[in-house]
Amino acid sequence: MLALARDDIQLNCEAMDWQEALALAGSSLVAAGLAHAGYVDGLLARERQGSTWLGRGIAIPHGTPASRGEVIATGVRVLQFPKGVPWHDGHTVFLLVAIAAQSDEHLDILRQLTHALGREGAEAMLAKAEDADAIVAVLGHVETPPRLDADTLCLNLPAKSVAELAMVAAARLHGLGCVQPAFVAAIAGETPLMLGSGLALVRSAQAVDVPALALATAAAPLEHGVFGVFCLAARGQAHRPLLERLERLLVQGQAGALRGLSADTVLALLAGEDGETHTGRVRLLNAHGLHARPAKLLVQTARAQPVPVRMRLLEGSPDAISAGSLTKVLGLGARRGQTLVFSARGEQAEAAVAAMLEAVTQGLGESVQPLSEAVSPRQPALSVPAPVEAPAAGVPIAAVPASPGLAVAPVFVLRHPHFEYPEKAVSPAQETTRLDQALEQAARQLDRLIQGTQGAKVANILSVHIEMLADPGLRDATLEAIHEGASAEAAWWHAIDAAARAQEALADRLLAERATDLRDVGRRVLCLLCDTPLPEPPETPYVLVAEDLGPSDVARLDTTRVRALVTARGGATAHSAILARALGIPAVVGAGEALLQLADRLELAVDGDAGRLIPAPDASTLRSFERRIEAQARIEEEAYQSRHEPACTRDGHRVEVAANLGNTAHAADAVERGAEGVGLLRTEFIFMAHPDFPDLETQTAEYGEAFDALAGRPLVARTLDVGGDKPLPYWPVPAEDNPFLGMRGIRLTLSRPEVLEMQLRALLQAAGPRPLRIMFPMIKDIEEFRAGKRIFDRLQAEIQAPDVQLGVMVEIPSSALLAASLAAEVDFFSVGTNDLTQYTLAIDRGHASLSAQSDAMHPAVLQLIRMTVEAAHRHGRWVGVCGELGSDPLAVPVLVGLGVDELSVTARRIPQVKAMIRRLDMDQARAWAALALAQPSSAAVRQALEAAAATDLEQVGV
């Protein structure tokens, strides 16, 4: 909270305009050691977004979220301008309270300020004060209203005495951190004051950290007819209005109604909301809470209503304040996710409250990201789906290739356990203990898996699972349901299911498929809560078939026994698929629910390269698979031995082979596997790893790690690619019906150019003299490229990195169709075949039933790649392919034949892709490309290429 001293006050300041005043305020914050010099720009940027005028001659400037990296410590500097400063919104400012705050701490400061400014005559005194102590006296010493919310209520307990109720209430305040043990001891010696109507009061001012009021009620009346005891942790006189409302309830004979009520109803009564009051509640969605800008719009909405509107914070004091008072609204200190309760009386009260709810829901002038809707706790749908007909023997099944390789082995169908548990529980305390014990045990299990697993990638993903277990958001959501009477099992799965469904709603499959990780973590804890063992695979070699697989399922696999992984659901970017590739296990995903009906020990042939399955293969198919497996083993060994040699065709045509990276930490491993550079660095990883925009120093250090590992090899970095389909929690955007077609990629970053500018600056600074290639994602035409390039050119003129190219990703069909105009100005193209395919074919590549048809080998996609390459080469530009197509064995010859200059693939596939290229000659590759382009469908393309491959298996390396 705000603690002012004389040195924090500057009297008799002068400024000609608001910019000069803010510059003076920023310099004061810098001189006080609260911020770096760059924070001044944040103050100016925030003011341009909207006035920080608080009212009554006072402004409260603070920086933008992007400038928080310039904050050294939270604090304020108060500048007095007795002559006034003309503000840009037409007001005159006499007092500036300049705030330097990390995260949303400024809301606490605003809350204290607005309580101080609520004092009668405070504004005039602050503007004309001639002594700093006088300002300190007003702003630095504020009595905080007592806390009273659902957590301070302990209702309908099986208590045996009034003294027991008093101790329960005191203990609750201690558990919430409001008081110290000495307070509880003092209450133990207190004689309760009988208030009447079945209520009593105990109080103490000893060892109070946060003033608060608790209420404990008994399920049945106790001695003297008492059913409830209020416990007051008092400090100063801030509790008096609350006790006065309680007194009115007693006088009006309504206090007895508190017995047997829910927490919400108790709080409503204590807030003065009775049967004549119309109320409504709404969750606050704004990313940074009810700060000055949205608060102003809220106040304007309230003032426009025909009847007075009051409001309170459900999670705070039940004190209802006027919604038409800006200082009082700011004084609530409401944060994202908290609930605002509006109330009004009179004929038009219902319409007035509805208008307030609508204003908050629409974001109060800001773009907001909806919270996941709560649903009642329910059991997970973890049992095997309703039976469907099993696949026919010997008939190939098309699916999505997820990890390359071939295998034939008996099937083991992994059926997740069916959990039986009660929905409700009697003791929230006991359920909380059970939950915490299960979370701790699950973390120990995962730690043991990490210690015994193979490979850093597996360990890293399982480490993320440990972080999920420690996520306070999951635990808080679970505890909320437990306190409402749910069992630990029901509450936990509700929290997991809600989080997973929110993740699945994201259009970006890379993020949406992380729902599998959440459910994997959820099942682990549920097994512990229900004392249900996880299923164990056989001791002999097998193909694992499952509805879906979690990363810990994959990590537990004994790779000496498991021959392949097959899932009915999921996509090629799920963590289970990523881990399968990391472990070198063939995998096919999205094969359909019928696979779950396969009988255990039935033979299954798996082609992880083509994404094809054959149940109960005949003798001829088995012999073919065996020959291919033997040939593939030889090829892979030879490829690995020559992994550091360049990828040149037999007639000398060079194709660079680089690595796709989702994290700079993997750059060294990519180089070891033969990568000639990084063809795609997904820079959003650094933004997703931080609770707020990573600052310049953090980004520069992260990118520098990759440059160091590459040792002079080129790095192609994609600028931040997030948006409506994969939002950052600290950068909410409006909900979109189709986020694939909404605010994402370059569109979003151009809406916040300071974010793009900082990232470009970090990349240029990190590169130094080393080769850097920057590409903008989701470019649709030349205008979008030019908008980003203007920022780049300005920074490059300043930094002058010597080896930099600026290009675009071809992910939207329009950019391929307009490649000729783009090629005149860009330095290179990188084709993102994953997005290009789904935009071209209008098929979501993660769709449960259509994903197998989302094939980048479709001739329409190949035609767009051809157009891009031809336009680029006419202007002397190079073209890379960074999607999954680049590592498809059938596609490599086609891409080389189309003239693609670089293939960027997963690190594990680099040796094999290089080896495929070395076995080609360009005439052969061009023939394959022409053959593919002549086909009418992706199925026809693959069929034609497989027929060609059968005639010359050694040449093409499949």
Side-chain angles (χ1 to χ4, degrees), residues 655-709:
V655 179
E656 289 191 9
V657 181
N660 291 337
L661 295 185
N663 193 311
T664 54
H666 301 152
D669 177 66
V671 171
E672 169 58 26
R673 292 180 183 274
E676 298 174 275
V678 170
L680 169 63
L681 177 64
R682 300 180 179 95
T683 61
E684 51 269 20
F685 81 93
I686 185 175
F687 290 81
M688 294 175 180
H690 289 79
D692 205 338
F693 289 99
D695 59 21
L696 180 64
E697 182 179 358
T698 300
Q699 290 192 56
T700 304
E702 286 278 3
Y703 305 141
E705 182 179 349
F707 280 112
D708 292 342

Side-chain angles (χ1 to χ4, degrees), residues 482-527:
I482 286 175
H483 289 149
E484 293 175 356
S487 67
E489 295 89 342
W492 170 253
W493 190 259
H494 162 55
I496 288 290
D497 191 45
R501 284 186 292 106
Q503 200 77 13
E504 286 168 336
L506 301 177
D508 182 85
R509 305 318 302 175
L510 187 64
L511 296 178
E513 288 166 358
R514 298 302 176 261
T516 301
D517 296 75
L518 281 165
R519 291 199 166 93
D520 188 30
V521 168
R523 277 192 295 265
R524 177 174 295 279
V525 175
L526 212 52
C527 281

Side-chain angles (χ1 to χ4, degrees), residues 754-798:
E754 71 276 10
V755 175
L756 179 60
E757 179 173 338
M758 181 180 290
Q759 183 176 33
L760 292 174
R761 181 181 293 276
L763 285 165
L764 291 168
Q765 290 182 175
R770 297 169 291 196
L772 168 63
R773 316 290 179 248
I774 299 173
M775 58 184 178
F776 296 135
M778 300 299 294
I779 292 288
K780 73 178 188 303
D781 55 36
I782 194 66
E783 292 303 323
E784 285 184 333
F785 173 73
R786 288 171 177 168
K789 187 174 186 295
R790 283 192 288 270
I791 299 174
F792 168 83
D793 287 344
R794 175 165 47 80
L795 293 171
Q796 175 65 344
E798 171 192 338

Side-chain angles (χ1 to χ4, degrees), residues 401 404 609 647 655-660 682 830-834 837 855-857 861-862 865 879-896 900-917 920 942:
D609 295 305
V655 179
E656 289 191 9
V657 181
N660 291 337
R682 300 180 179 95
S830 183
V831 183
T833 55
N834 299 350
T837 300
D855 190 346
M857 288 289 273
V861 178
L862 298 178
I865 296 173
V879 178
V881 167
C882 61
E884 292 289 333
L885 190 65
S887 57
D888 186 326
L890 283 177
V892 169
V894 174
L895 295 173
V896 172
V900 170
D901 304 288
E902 179 220 56
L903 297 177
S904 188
V905 301
T906 57
R908 188 177 184 87
R909 292 290 289 167
I910 290 170
Q912 287 80 13
V913 172
K914 280 186 164 184
M916 292 178 204
I917 295 170
L920 292 170
R942 290 193 177 276

Side-chain angles (χ1 to χ4, degrees), residues 458-703:
V458 178
N460 288 340
I461 293 177
L462 292 179
S463 295
V464 172
H465 279 212
I466 293 180
E467 293 298 322
M468 287 180 177
L469 288 172
D471 182 358
L474 281 176
R475 185 175 183 274
D476 289 348
T478 305
L479 292 180
E480 182 179 348
I482 286 175
H483 289 149
E484 293 175 356
S487 67
E489 295 89 342
W492 170 253
W493 190 259
H494 162 55
I496 288 290
D497 191 45
R501 284 186 292 106
Q503 200 77 13
E504 286 168 336
L506 301 177
D508 182 85
R509 305 318 302 175
L510 187 64
L511 296 178
E513 288 166 358
R514 298 302 176 261
T516 301
D517 296 75
L518 281 165
R519 291 199 166 93
D520 188 30
V521 168
R523 277 192 295 265
R524 177 174 295 279
V525 175
L526 212 52
C527 281
L528 294 168
L529 287 169
C530 297
D531 195 23
T532 302
L534 291 167
E536 289 295 329
E539 295 294 326
T540 53
Y542 63 94
V543 171
L544 179 61
V545 175
E547 180 180 5
D548 207 346
L549 287 172
S552 66
D553 292 325
V554 180
R556 284 200 310 273
L557 298 176
D558 182 347
T559 54
T560 64
R561 286 185 284 154
V562 66
R563 294 293 183 260
L565 305 178
V566 178
T567 65
R569 300 173 51 202
T573 56
H575 263 159
S576 52
I578 293 170
L579 288 173
R581 290 193 287 271
L583 295 172
I585 303 172
V588 172
V589 299
E593 304 298 321
L595 264 294
L596 301 175
Q597 303 309 309
L598 290 174
D600 283 344
R601 295 183 296 280
L602 178 79
E603 290 280 307
L604 182 65
V606 180
D607 186 340
D609 295 305
R612 189 164 54 183
L613 308 167
I614 304 176
D618 57 25
S620 175
T621 302
L622 281 175
R623 285 194 298 272
S624 173
F625 262 77
E626 289 168 358
R627 288 196 300 269
R628 291 176 62 194
I629 290 171
E630 292 174 1
Q632 189 177 70
R634 290 194 305 271
I635 289 170
E636 288 181 358
E637 176 59 27
E638 293 170 1
Y640 190 79
Q641 294 302 322
S642 59
R643 66 192 183 280
H644 294 301
E645 296 177 12
C648 295
T649 62
R650 295 200 306 263
D651 49 354
H653 180 77
R654 173 75 182 274
V655 179
E656 289 191 9
V657 181
N660 291 337
L661 295 185
N663 193 311
T664 54
H666 301 152
D669 177 66
V671 171
E672 169 58 26
R673 292 180 183 274
E676 298 174 275
V678 170
L680 169 63
L681 177 64
R682 300 180 179 95
T683 61
E684 51 269 20
F685 81 93
I686 185 175
F687 290 81
M688 294 175 180
H690 289 79
D692 205 338
F693 289 99
D695 59 21
L696 180 64
E697 182 179 358
T698 300
Q699 290 192 56
T700 304
E702 286 278 3
Y703 305 141

